[in-house]
Amino acid sequence: MSLSPDLPTLRDIATPALVVDEAVLDANIARMAGFARTGSVALRPHAKTHKSSEIARRQIAAGAAGICCATVAEVEAMAAAGIGGLLLTCPIGDATKAARIAALNRKAPLAVVVDHPAQVDLLQNAVGTDDPPLLVLVDVDVGQRRTGVVGAAAVLALAKRIRDQQTLSFGGLQGYAGHVQHIVDADERKAAAAAAGEQLQAMSFALQVEGLPCAIVSGSGTGASAYDTNGPYTELQAGSYVLMDADYRRIRTAEGGLPYAPALFVLASVVSAGRPGQFTVDAGVKSLAVNGPVPDILRGAPDGCRYQFSGDEHGTIMLPDGAAAPPIGTRLLIAATHCDPTVNLFSAYHFVGHNGGVRTVPVLGRH
Amino acid sequence: MSLSPDLPTLRDIATPALVVDEAVLDANIARMAGFARTGSVALRPHAKTHKSSEIARRQIAAGAAGICCATVAEVEAMAAAGIGGLLLTCPIGDATKAARIAALNRKAPLAVVVDHPAQVDLLQNAVGTDDPPLLVLVDVDVGQRRTGVVGAAAVLALAKRIRDQQTLSFGGLQGYAGHVQHIVDADERKAAAAAAGEQLQAMSFALQVEGLPCAIVSGSGTGASAYDTNGPYTELQAGSYVLMDADYRRIRTAEGGLPYAPALFVLASVVSAGRPGQFTVDAGVKSLAVNGPVPDILRGAPDGCRYQFSGDEHGTIMLPDGAAAPPIGTRLLIAATHCDPTVNLFSAYHFVGHNGGVRTVPVLGRH
């Protein structure tokens, strides 16, 4: 089945709506899982992309060792849905969040990261001595300059501080090279990925020498995953591959491009068609992330149409010369070019199955 | 009370969180209400800004004649909360939406807009002959080129088509000059507002001559409201004034600037502070709209700090020379520079009252 806005099952969905092509989703999941297996590295895909326990479950069924989350609310939503092997990839800053983490860990063990001694203390105070120990990784800044410890001495000091807490267990390192993932040129991206990996490798070895072996070295992303199986990583955190951002389709590999296809669309309706050369749909800034390439793939409109944001609830579609606007009510599928923040704009997905049937799947853990 | 992240009541709120300074909110509401009263024009503030029945109720208590909504879901949420005088300002494109509008109109009369004959037919088919007639305005394109009928002849034809339906009632015109609201220079904005108003005035007169008097001429926004009381409008649709976008603070008036103050903030926590010259907070693209000026007002951090987006859940704060990063867990208030899409990122507000107390207020009708 090829996803089309003319599918009878799509005609009754209230627009704007978030639509997933299930066949493409499953192919993306299988491809990354197979790739990790071939590389002998575990896969812990990032749920901040999809915020869906249903997608997480499919990733685990395909072989993923667990799921990464960006917020405590995402961890809570995944844990409530029975998803195990959770890793919170962002350091927290206060006792309330630490208490929520401790409560989660009491029910099912999870792992978190820290990049500052204050966070070790917050977690140590939150986890009870009768609780299972909380697995804590040191978040290392491998060049993204966002979170993470800078420098081997500070990493070692923080790892020792974790080890010395009665209620915590040192688990290893996280180093997410966010600055590497979107580099277009293959050789340049490979070199940048290697530089980040070498830092982690050296730190991991230094810790081992000090009697602090790293059971986990977690990192990588969709853009660099092809190179990082040769790095120090025990697991890949790639997330975007599952729905596939348009921006990642620009980047080059030895084989041409990344082997993942766009699975996420916004279904919109034509709501105004009175101006020559253009028409208006009901999907704007509150339906499509603006911090990606302009949405450029349309189904349901003449070839050569261009989407422009026109406020919170509208997009203007510029028609190619001589083309007529589709009738009022016509359904269009617009490719989501930046999936994570687009998913975050909706409370639910509409999964379009292999047989054309539609199921509603909730988006979890939004602010 | 001056809103500060050191307020004891803010320390326990999980970050990132949406915070409203209730004193500023109420002052903004009172100021626009008084302004409309002085100008002898009704006020129907736009709820797409706030998506809150609580704020709508305060606007009505201050004198607003009703509330505008951008989506059917917003209308449903406001109607369910008992808010009356609702106007749906965006034309719809399908029978499902028309049916939802008809169901709402059966419970409490509302008004909608159309810009195409197909929409008249959809509504006419949806509203039953035993239902109260649905009030329908013709949406006029006064230069924004987004929705709205172009040209007087088409406006007249559409108004007649509405009048000729058994279940619909012609209510007048809507002309939203979205292209005018953000013009910085006062004289230039005034001239553009006058040009839009003159189009509506001429169309309104042409309709009157044809026996189709316009009981309602709805339009205007926060930027042009000071000029539009002299225009053809029977009511102002201004919305942003209530929380006040930073972008609107740039625009000039004869008195200097618009008399509304920012009421909306995102409360964030310091979660990483290991790099010289910067630190990281837990509010990023999923907490602050990116399609406005860079968030530039911080409370809780040294003067001269600059916010930069750093992904879905992070912002990097660049410190001025020589300043030290605040400790992990420090709370910051970041001014939301584009309120509508920022509100849309959260399920609830935290209203900080005149006495410093905090109440949770839901955000309604998100996709």
Side-chain angles (χ1 to χ4, degrees), chain A residues 37 59 80 113 175 180 185 196 204 235 241 249 279 284 367:
Chain A
R37 214 165 15 241
Q59 290 173 316
V113 306
V180 171
D185 181 75
S204 173
E235 60 178 46
Y241 76 91
R249 299 181 70 215
F279 61 98
H367 294 323

Side-chain angles (χ1 to χ4, degrees), chain A residues 88-167:
Chain A
L88 177 62
T89 61
C90 300
I92 55 107
D94 59 74
T96 314
K97 291 264 171 74
R100 288 162 66 186
I101 289 167
L104 286 159
N105 188 59
R106 214 163 288 139
K107 290 188 203 158
L110 75 153
V112 301
V113 306
V114 296
D115 77 354
H116 193 282
Q119 293 152 0
V120 177
D121 298 347
L122 285 168
L123 293 168
Q124 192 274 328
N125 289 333
V127 181
T129 49
D130 294 339
D131 291 348
L134 177 68
L135 195 66
V136 181
L137 314 185
V138 174
D139 185 25
V140 179
D141 185 351
V142 291
Q144 191 181 21
R145 301 179 58 78
R146 183 169 74 184
T147 68
V149 176
V150 181
V155 169
L156 180 61
L158 202 56
K160 284 181 174 168
R161 194 180 185 105
I162 296 166
R163 181 195 56 193
D164 293 346
Q165 309 303 321
Q166 198 187 345
T167 62

